[in-house]
Amino acid sequence: MEVRNSRPGALTGALGLVILLLIIPAASHAQPDPYDILATATREFNSGNIESALNTFLTVPAPAQGEDGGAFVRSRMEAAKICFSTGEYKKSAALCREILDVYPENLEAKNLLKQIAAAQTPKWLRFLKDMGTYFPTLLKASGMTILLVLITMVISPVAGLFIALARISRIKSISFIFWCYIWIFRGTPLLLQLFFIYYGLPPLGITLDPFTAAVLGLGLNYSAYLAEIMRGAIESIDPGQMEAAKSLGMTYWQAMRRIIVPQTYKRLVPPVGNEFIALIKDTALVSTIAMVELMRAADQIFNTTFNIFILMQAAMIYLVMTSIFTVSFRKLEDRLGVYENR
Amino acid sequence: MIELVDVVKRFHDFLAVDRVSLKIDKGEKIVIIGPSGSGKTTLLRMINFLEKIDSGRILMEGREVGYRKDKKGRLVLEKQDVICALRSEIGMVFQHFHLFPHMTALQNVMEGPITVKKQPREDARRIALDLLGKVGLLDKKDTYPAFLSGGQKQRVAIARALAMKPMLMLFDEPTSALDPELVGEVFTTIKKLAEEGMTMVIVTHQMGFAREMADRVIFMDEGKFILEGTPKEVFSHRMDNARVKAFLDKVL
């Protein structure tokens, strides 16, 4: 009996072990597969049962140590997105954090958290924050605007002076060639000229990078304008000045260089200043030929944020630049006029 | 020294100078008078090639200068460097001064020697200061023309022309644009120059020039010399010529 008594106990123990060994896997097998739940929930979501889809998503259990958590992450993520879309930001954020507890590096959850934070801040505050965020980008882009302006400010007066002198040349053919030049570049839109240089020259075998094309376009256009201004200024100088210079024995070019042209400087400042202020604004046109400058940068940021403050910020930067020009040209004019009795 | 032979100048249909010959000797002071539009100024400007002659010859030291003939036989000015070299020997003073407004009085006077003669700055400065002293404007050396009176401007203009050390000075109505009270200072400056022996041709309406410094007075009308002689001869002969009489009666 003792033995008999003891046998069934051992037997029961062994049997229990066997049953356990057999049942546990079977029982765990009986648990629904997380991916099945995920699929079911997705089906529900797709058929429009948002509410039940949400509940189903949440039945996917958290993975144990070492287990595959793919379905869990997916389900919580989808649930969080549903909550985000219905405006339940707190619930959505909690779900994101649930993911991050298990996978602290999950980017999708992190990004959604950021979106939730952004959605919860008022629009005007977000816009203000944008201004701070994107200001360095705008400032960097204005660097290109300034560079284009400076290069054109060096090229166009020099080229303009030579074109002006060519225009007043007594050699008819030279004068005519540059008359044509001015006629074309002053008579057609700068935008068209830029398009022609950037898109129109490659088929003719000349391919220019955007920067070169921009500098060339602005330079050619502004040289034409400045040439006409300079020609007018030179012709406005009293002919007696040329005669006086000649009577001393000066050649035409000596007289131009020493006597005539220096007298035009003061008269040139107001109209040339005007042109340079127009130039600052005209650089915005090169954004159309793949140049990243202030206008283009502002446009790009505006297109992703729809934040009107970004455009206002760009406008302020343009205003600062043009104002600096206005003031400095006024000062320059006064300084160049020291010899005038006024 | 310089001689114009049968020079003619037309402006379209208008005959400004009509076959005129003029010989200027070294040290001679010639004063040309006559009504407006008589060709006096044009004649003066021909001497330093500011006005191109249509026909005739210009001789310097007996040598024909300044022009050559093109294929069709018309007169054309010589190349620029030849003309410039000739001009640098002849000083000119204009009715309206034509000082360089962007330069101080001193810079105006230095300009010719530096740019044309390529003289060292220091030399040019010394010459200029000397000349400004001579015309009595040393204290105005750093003044811009806009801040000078008409008389002062004209004296600077005279100094500017003298800085080139010309062998001949041309004065084109040097006092006509001046207020009456300023004529004297310019007149005195020119007279001083005459006394130093400078060769000069003066076109003027100011009879003082003719009386006080002319070796020879020329009365011009309609592009021709009507009367030519010493001041004494011209002023005493004026009764013989109706046009001269009419003109002199008006200006005297």
Side-chain angles (χ1 to χ4, degrees):
Chain A
M1 254 342 252
E2 284 270 349
V3 174
R4 225 185 145 230
N5 263 345
S6 66
R7 258 185 202 158
L11 205 76
T12 315
L15 200 68
L17 193 71
V18 169
I19 288 166
L20 259 174
L21 284 172
L22 284 172
I23 284 176
I24 288 170
S28 68
H29 213 78
Q31 288 260 344
D33 183 74
Y35 284 98
D36 287 343
I37 303 174
L38 194 61
T40 310
T42 307
R43 262 197 309 279
E44 282 170 345
F45 181 76
N46 287 340
S47 59
N49 300 321
I50 309 295
E51 192 68 25
S52 63
L54 180 62
N55 291 329
T56 313
F57 273 128
L58 293 178
T59 59
V60 176
Q65 196 79 37
E67 244 182 12
D68 171 23
F72 166 72
V73 171
R74 207 57 270 132
S75 68
R76 292 306 185 279
M77 202 60 231
E78 293 304 320
K81 279 181 189 166
I82 292 168
C83 293
F84 181 71
S85 67
T86 56
E88 291 170 273
Y89 295 131
K90 271 193 184 152
K91 207 165 164 190
S92 181
L95 288 165
C96 287
R97 267 182 234 109
E98 227 178 292
I99 296 171
L100 291 171
D101 283 344
V102 186
Y103 300 103
E105 298 305 318
N106 188 292
L107 269 182
E108 221 183 338
K110 276 188 182 173
N111 281 337
L112 188 56
L113 267 183
K114 270 187 206 161
Q115 278 186 46
I116 293 164
Q120 279 176 310
T121 47
K123 210 172 189 182
W124 63 268
L125 190 66
R126 191 149 47 87
F127 276 4
L128 281 182
K129 273 189 183 161
D130 278 355
M131 286 171 74
T133 314
Y134 293 114
F135 188 61
T137 315
L138 288 179
L139 221 51
K140 212 176 135 199
S142 348
M144 178 51 78
T145 296
I146 293 168
L147 184 66
L148 285 172
V149 168
L150 290 182
I151 293 178
T152 312
M153 274 176 69
V154 172
I155 294 176
S156 56
V158 177
L161 177 60
F162 281 105
I163 296 165
L165 292 171
R167 276 283 286 120
I168 57 179
S169 165
R170 263 177 296 181
I171 305 168
K172 286 282 181 317
S173 53
I174 290 179
S175 179
F176 179 70
I177 288 167
F178 286 95
W179 179 87
C180 290
Y181 172 88
I182 292 166
W183 179 59
I184 291 167
F185 281 91
R186 231 170 42 138
T188 59
L190 174 57
L191 190 59
L192 189 150
Q193 292 162 21
L194 289 168
F195 276 16
F196 186 83
I197 292 167
Y198 187 63
Y199 301 111
L201 290 183
L204 305 176
I206 307 163
T207 307
L208 300 170
D209 60 277
F211 182 76
T212 314
V215 166
L216 196 64
L218 290 169
L220 287 171
N221 186 269
Y222 273 82
S223 300
Y225 275 97
L226 292 194
E228 277 303 88
I229 293 173
M230 287 171 169
R231 183 178 66 86
I234 289 171
E235 287 178 344
S236 78
I237 302 297
D238 174 13
Q241 292 291 313
M242 179 57 95
E243 294 209 327
K246 281 183 175 174
S247 80
L248 288 175
M250 284 193 206
T251 63
Y252 178 79
W253 290 112
Q254 281 173 335
M256 273 293 169
R257 189 170 53 82
R258 298 283 309 171
I259 309 301
I260 308 298
V261 172
Q263 288 184 50
T264 65
Y265 294 158
K266 201 220 154 201
R267 297 179 196 198
L268 283 175
V269 172
V272 169
N274 251 343
E275 288 301 317
F276 285 159
I277 286 167
L279 167 66
I280 293 178
K281 297 175 290 168
D282 273 355
T283 55
L285 291 174
V286 306
S287 63
T288 57
I289 56 164
M291 277 294 290
V292 180
E293 40 63 73
L294 182 50
M295 186 61 223
R296 168 90 163 212
D299 186 43
Q300 281 174 341
I301 298 167
F302 179 70
N303 276 328
T304 56
T305 61
F306 295 107
N307 183 347
I308 199 74
F309 287 101
I310 294 294
L311 295 184
M312 284 162 72
Q313 220 170 359
M316 291 306 293
I317 297 177
Y318 276 118
L319 271 175
V320 168
M321 291 194 277
T322 51
S323 304
I324 290 172
F325 270 40
T326 307
V327 173
S328 2
F329 282 117
R330 179 77 241 183
K331 288 231 166 91
L332 184 63
E333 192 186 348
D334 290 344
R335 187 174 301 178
L336 289 175
V338 285
Y339 58 78
E340 286 181 352
N341 187 2
R342 284 205 300 156
Chain B
M1 188 165 66
I2 291 183
E3 198 177 348
L4 308 185
V5 182
D6 293 337
V7 291
V8 173
K9 177 70 189 179
R10 272 191 191 82
F11 295 109
H12 302 288
D13 292 339
F14 179 68
L15 196 55
V17 174
D18 184 8
R19 285 180 73 88
V20 162
S21 295
L22 172 68
K23 192 165 179 290
I24 307 161
D25 288 323
K26 193 166 165 47
E28 200 179 10
K29 289 103 183 97
I30 298 174
V31 172
I32 305 176
I33 55 174
S36 301
S38 59
K40 324 183 281 296
T41 294
T42 306
L43 182 71
L44 197 72
R45 290 161 57 85
M46 285 171 167
I47 299 173
N48 71 348
F49 309 95
L50 282 178
E51 216 68 77
K52 189 183 148 292
I53 60 174
D54 292 327
S55 67
R57 289 180 297 156
I58 296 178
L59 305 156
M60 204 177 258
E61 312 290 5
R63 201 167 47 87
E64 207 171 322
V65 293
Y67 293 90
R68 57 192 167 76
K69 287 210 166 83
D70 70 2
K71 280 173 240 156
K72 290 175 185 167
R74 287 178 304 202
L75 287 179
V76 283
L77 273 176
E78 284 274 16
K79 275 202 236 97
Q80 186 178 234
D81 51 341
V82 177
I83 299 297
C84 286
L86 292 169
R87 280 185 187 139
S88 70
E89 303 267 339
I90 302 168
M92 179 140 183
V93 173
F94 300 86
Q95 179 178 358
H96 296 288
F97 332 123
H98 299 326
L99 285 181
F100 306 133
H102 58 305
M103 297 178 178
T104 62
L106 182 66
Q107 288 167 338
N108 262 279
V109 184
M110 287 166 69
E111 186 56 27
I114 286 175
T115 303
V116 179
K117 286 190 169 174
K118 313 284 180 207
Q119 284 184 355
R121 233 187 152 71
E122 267 321 297
D123 294 0
R125 194 182 152 82
R126 212 184 49 245
I127 294 167
L129 287 173
D130 199 38
L131 285 167
L132 280 178
K134 197 168 155 184
V135 299
L137 288 172
L138 202 51
D139 56 329
K140 298 284 183 191
K141 68 181 168 64
D142 296 320
T143 306
Y144 286 102
F147 301 92
L148 296 173
S149 73
Q152 291 169 332
K153 281 183 198 166
Q154 197 59 299
R155 280 143 71 199
V156 174
I158 292 168
R160 177 177 71 179
L162 290 175
M164 292 298 289
K165 303 217 179 311
M167 58 176 194
L168 167 68
M169 282 286 282
L170 306 175
F171 293 88
D172 183 11
E173 307 201 21
T175 57
S176 299
L178 297 177
D179 291 338
E181 73 271 23
L182 300 176
V183 169
E185 58 187 85
V186 173
F187 185 86
T188 313
T189 306
I190 296 172
K191 193 173 177 194
K192 205 161 100 188
L193 205 57
E195 281 160 5
E196 286 170 11
M198 174 61 79
T199 312
M200 48 177 71
V201 180
I202 306 170
V203 164
T204 186
H205 290 292
Q206 198 81 34
M207 289 308 135
F209 284 108
R211 278 212 206 84
E212 290 192 34
M213 53 186 102
D215 296 321
R216 188 148 49 115
V217 177
I218 296 167
F219 185 88
M220 235 182 130
D221 194 19
E222 292 178 349
K224 290 194 188 71
F225 290 176
I226 302 292
L227 202 61
E228 191 175 351
T230 61
K232 222 179 187 175
E233 287 167 345
V234 170
F235 288 113
S236 58
H237 273 80
R238 65 178 158 133
M239 298 308 171
D240 300 350
N241 187 305
R243 271 186 294 186
V244 179
K245 180 180 183 301
F247 174 73
L248 290 180
D249 283 345
K250 249 180 261 170
V251 297
L252 284 178

